Every structure is written in structure tokens, then in C-alpha cells.
Amino acid sequence: MSKPSHREKILTEGLRVVHERGCAGASVRDIFRAAGVPQGSFTNHFSSKEAFCLEILDLYFEDVRAMIDRTLRNDSLPPLKRLRAFVDAQSKYLNRVGWRNGCLIGNFSAEASEHSEVIRKRLVEIFEEMRQSVAYCLRAAVKMGELPQKTDCDELGGFLVASLQGAILQSKAERRSVPIERFKRLIFSALLH
């Protein structure tokens, strides 16, 4: 009889622990204890904490990608409504967790990218995919006449992703929605009108 695999439990509970405590703040012991599995289960499934953190980053991004597909890449909605839905989805998630945890992508950018080249490179790929999705939505807005023809959708997409990440980080620090609400108000009233 083969031993049951605890891999999924370690990933699920480990993601929660790392999101709450940070990559550096969550020890391997914290992770396997939260999962309720023996210590050896972690090392059976992950070659290192770095390898584990890379996997939970991808697991987290699967949810972000699904949200991007429902919002930014949802061609059944008007483009600027998609962008607003994207920002609102971020805000709703953060509100649900009490503004404490922020975005794992932003958190890893602040703490893990300095210590892990493989995580840093993966974050660059994730940010690029997010930028491309925002730019895709902005190009649709230009095509529909919601934005001027001269709009540089790639540059604006990069700016919006970076600005939203900053607003999320500030909201995490303040534990309130004000920075994200300010971001949303300004981009739709001053930048994208």
C-alpha cells in the first residue's frame, strides 16, 4: 500500500501561511505544521523552500489569471468596464482578507526577488503577462473609441499594473481601501476619460 501524498495540502496551507507571514517569515516548520503533515513530507515533495515558494507563486497566479480572464480579457464587456472590474476584483479580495495580506506577487517582489534569481525572473514574467492583459483591454478601448487613437497601450498598461501594485502595497500597510480607491478614482476620472 502506497503512502498518501500530502503535496496538495502542503501547497494549499503553505500558500495561506506564506501569504500571511511572508516568504522569509514563514518557516518550513510553520508550513508542514499548518498542513498537518510530518516534516519529511515537505522534503519529499520540494527540493527547497525556494522551489516551494516558486510553486505557490504559480498557484496564486492561476487564480489571478482566472480573474484576468473574467475581467480584462472578457470580450463580452466594454473595455473600460473590464478594467474597472479588474480593479474592483482586486479590491474585493483585499477587503475579504482585511487588507492585511496584500498581493502575493507584490509581496514576493518586495522580499523574495532580492534573494532568489529564479523567483525574480518568474515575477518579471508574471508582471509582463499582467501588462499584456491590461494592454489588450486598452487596445480594445481604443478600437471602440473609448480612448484616443494615439494611446500607447503597452506603456499605459505597464504604468497601470505598477501603479495598482503600489496602491495594493500601500493599502496593505494602511489596512484600508483608501489607496486603491484613490487609484481607481484618478485613473478613470483623469487618465482614462
Side-chain angles (χ1 to χ4, degrees):
M1 188 169 157
S2 65
K3 288 175 26 177
S5 171
H6 297 297
R7 188 174 206 290
E8 292 306 312
K9 199 171 191 182
I10 295 169
L11 283 169
T12 302
E13 289 303 311
L15 171 57
R16 182 185 58 76
V17 169
V18 170
H19 201 178
E20 287 173 1
R21 299 181 193 174
C23 193
S27 69
V28 170
R29 175 177 283 139
D30 295 332
I31 294 164
F32 72 75
R33 282 187 176 165
V37 301
Q39 181 175 356
S41 295
F42 186 91
T43 54
N44 285 342
H45 297 292
F46 308 98
S47 60
S48 65
K49 186 177 175 190
E50 178 185 58
F52 168 77
C53 285
L54 191 60
E55 284 200 46
I56 63 167
L57 179 60
D58 284 336
L59 183 64
Y60 181 86
F61 189 59
E62 283 177 23
D63 287 341
V64 173
R65 188 181 282 131
M67 184 262 300
I68 286 170
D69 289 343
R70 286 190 310 272
T71 59
L72 296 171
R73 292 192 174 270
N74 182 354
D75 293 331
S76 69
L77 295 174
L80 292 184
K81 192 171 185 175
R82 293 184 227 169
L83 185 59
R84 186 178 295 274
F86 174 70
V87 176
D88 287 343
Q90 303 278 332
S91 191
K92 284 177 190 168
Y93 168 76
L94 294 166
N95 187 49
R96 197 171 61 242
V97 297
W99 302 97
R100 291 181 172 278
N101 298 342
C103 170
L104 189 72
I105 298 162
N107 295 349
F108 271 34
S109 296
E111 71 169 307
S113 64
E114 189 65 30
H115 307 289
S116 169
E117 186 63 11
V118 69
I119 290 175
R120 186 194 70 76
K121 286 180 179 177
R122 182 63 185 124
L123 288 165
V124 170
E125 293 169 356
I126 287 170
F127 281 127
E128 177 59 16
E129 187 173 331
M130 292 170 70
R131 185 201 60 76
Q132 287 176 11
S133 295
V134 172
Y136 172 87
C137 181
L138 294 172
R139 278 192 284 280
V142 169
K143 190 174 183 178
M144 290 189 71
E146 292 181 332
L147 290 174
Q149 287 291 322
K150 65 180 172 41
T151 303
D152 186 335
C153 297
D154 291 316
E155 277 294 300
L156 185 55
F159 172 77
L160 292 175
V161 168
S163 299
L164 179 57
Q165 281 294 318
I168 291 169
L169 192 60
Q170 187 175 352
S171 288
K172 177 183 173 181
E174 293 181 13
R175 293 191 178 151
R176 60 189 189 137
S177 64
V178 172
I180 290 180
E181 294 304 319
R182 180 184 308 119
F183 166 81
K184 187 168 75 169
R185 186 176 57 255
L186 287 174
I187 65 165
F188 289 106
S189 68
L191 193 58
L192 304 175
H193 65 290

